[in-house]
Amino acid sequence: MILGTGGTIAGTAQDPSRQWDYRAAQLSVSQLVEAVPALRGVPLETVQVAQVDSKDMSWSVWRALGRALHEHLERDEVAGVVITHGTDTLEETAYLLQALHDGAKPVVLTAAMFPATSPQADGPTNLRDAVRVVQEASRRCLGGVVAVMHGRVWSASAVRKSHSNAPDAFDGGDAPPLVNLRREPVESDEDVVKALAKLGFRAQRAGPAEPAEESWPSAWHPCGRWGWGYLEADPPRVEIVCSHADADGWIVRAMLAHAQTSARPLRGIVVAGTGHGTMHAGLTEALREAVRQGVTVWRSSRVARGGVLPREGDEWPGVPYLTAAQARVALTLSLLGASRKE
Ligand code: SIN
């Protein structure tokens, strides 16, 4: 099963020689599959869940995706699912799906840095690789969520876009790829299965389980098994604030002032902090005010590698290794989880 959501992988340009002058999300997912000769004869179904540039990703698209995954993963004849996606927010969707998926079948996100009309189009190879990873994982009864880009398989909680225009645009922060498909052909190498099983993919389970009992923020590791039902609720408002020179907390106070009249009040803030999750003293003061008004604050880091280290006297939980955008998803789910228990 291939679920299409748009992105550059489905993008087209008027003039294919003008690499960056294109529109994302133009071709249907069935057109993408038809363009890959290696997929001819593979029993595939396609469903167009959305057609968006993923910079415009929204909870409603995630909800539609969750519904489609729920429906199709339940079907015995579906071995697993590939999702075609934009690169810009792939790390958020990957993290979200991993948190919700029961892990019973493989779900693989893939994307492209060049549009389908480009002479350098990378989508067809990425799509072929993604299908192979689903086939291989399914054959070995492995499930979970990973991302496949440029010949590498990434854990859904580690993957992040780290280059704005290179074909090799993703990395895993401090985490290496689970598998390098170019060095370890997925069809043949036992090590691939071992690597997939190490992170993200694991032995198939009998069926969906209850969400893990552990409390957030300690539950941001693979296969959260929180269930697709989380996407049916309206999400609480969670914003990201960056710490930087002169960060005096003005933006936080502006949000708090606006929140008093907003239909969807502010419930959480993720700080993209300096270094290992530190922040400007002026911003800290404003965040204390936010906490006094019932807002939950989590800390992440704006630094590419290393993440947040716990320190004596930390005022707010630090998210160890997620990007700020992934931490926003984690805090949203955490707040939703808390409200479901009330
Ligand atoms: C998008 O994220 O949909 C556009 C950019 C891309 O896919 O590379």
Side-chain angles (χ1 to χ4, degrees), residues 7-9 22 24 52-55 85-89 112-113 161:
T8 293
I9 192 168
Y22 69 92
V52 292
D53 183 319
S54 83
K55 72 180 175 52
H85 200 284
T87 60
D88 285 339
T89 55
M113 289 299 287
K161 188 168 178 177

Side-chain angles (χ1 to χ4, degrees), residues 27-181:
L27 300 177
S28 69
V29 63
S30 54
Q31 286 174 297
L32 302 188
V33 172
E34 278 159 25
V36 185
L39 295 182
R40 288 192 194 127
V42 178
L44 292 171
E45 284 178 48
T46 56
V47 173
Q48 195 75 48
V49 172
Q51 190 63 303
V52 292
D53 183 319
S54 83
K55 72 180 175 52
D56 300 323
M57 187 49 67
S58 63
W59 190 264
S60 61
V61 171
W62 280 343
R63 181 180 288 150
L65 188 56
R67 284 179 186 169
L69 283 165
H70 188 189
E71 177 187 340
H72 296 293
L73 288 170
E74 293 272 295
R75 294 168 52 202
D76 289 342
E77 68 275 26
V78 172
V81 173
V82 170
I83 299 167
T84 57
H85 200 284
T87 60
D88 285 339
T89 55
L90 183 140
E91 71 204 51
E92 294 168 61
T93 303
Y95 177 77
L96 173 83
L97 299 184
Q98 180 161 269
L100 301 180
H101 181 31
D102 67 15
K105 289 182 182 175
V107 172
V108 176
L109 290 108
T110 195
M113 289 299 287
F114 300 107
T117 48
S118 162
Q120 286 170 272
D122 50 336
T125 307
N126 288 341
L127 186 54
R128 183 205 64 196
D129 286 346
V131 169
R132 284 186 178 166
V133 168
V134 164
Q135 288 174 320
E136 187 67 12
S138 166
R139 228 186 333 265
R140 312 296 177 126
C141 295
L142 298 169
V145 183
V146 296
V148 171
M149 277 293 286
H150 200 67
R152 299 200 180 105
V153 183
W154 299 101
S155 151
S157 54
V159 69
R160 65 216 37 206
K161 188 168 178 177
S162 56
H163 199 288
S164 64
N165 53 60
D168 192 6
F170 283 79
D171 71 28
D174 291 308
L178 303 178
V179 182
N180 185 329
L181 297 172

